[in-house]
Amino acid sequence: MNKTYKLLVGTMLLLGLGTVSFAQNADAANPFTQFRNNNCVPEAKKAGLTQAEATQICNCTVQALQKKYSTQAFSNLYAQYRNGDNNARRTLTRYGETCSQQVLDDILWEN
């Protein structure tokens, strides 16, 4: 499967059903960290991306979300996403798609 196809498939499945687990350390309690670790990266890997690709896309996604949302505002959005809210899912998916496109562009235009 070529990288372009994997990235596009990964984008579509990036925010699929994810199981939220609660980690023990303080950073893991951060909703951005929870989203990246419990939803974004696992779903990207299920879609066929490598660990490195999934991490790169998800780190970009989280950085973009952190620029837009305070921790509390994102916590609310993430809770809505986990509760099955389609608007929250679409919002998070848009950020993931933007970052997937950036990563894809980087791969395609590498020297």
Side-chain angles (χ1 to χ4, degrees):
M1 185 182 308
N2 72 40
K3 268 192 198 286
T4 301
Y5 180 76
K6 286 191 335 185
L7 284 170
L8 292 175
V9 169
T11 297
M12 300 307 293
L13 298 175
L14 189 62
L15 298 172
L17 297 175
T19 302
V20 177
S21 63
F22 296 98
Q24 299 298 317
N25 67 38
D27 187 48
N30 180 302
F32 294 106
T33 302
Q34 287 179 353
F35 171 70
R36 183 186 62 233
N37 295 344
N38 299 327
N39 299 98
C40 190
V41 170
E43 292 304 319
K45 287 176 62 182
K46 280 184 197 174
L49 300 177
T50 66
Q51 177 71 38
E53 292 164 340
T55 299
Q56 187 176 4
I57 289 169
C58 294
N59 285 345
C60 170
T61 302
V62 167
Q63 289 170 358
L65 288 164
Q66 287 174 320
K67 289 178 183 175
K68 175 72 175 174
Y69 295 96
S70 68
T71 300
Q72 184 59 50
F74 181 74
S75 183
N76 294 337
L77 176 66
Y78 185 45
Q80 291 169 345
Y81 165 75
R82 289 190 324 247
N83 288 327
D85 182 280
N86 284 329
N87 288 330
R89 180 181 175 82
R90 279 191 293 276
T91 297
L92 293 175
T93 299
R94 279 194 303 270
Y95 282 92
E97 288 172 344
T98 299
C99 284
S100 293
Q101 187 61 51
Q102 289 174 4
V103 171
L104 176 61
D105 288 347
D106 289 346
I107 290 169
L108 291 175
W109 299 108
E110 274 182 353
N111 291 328

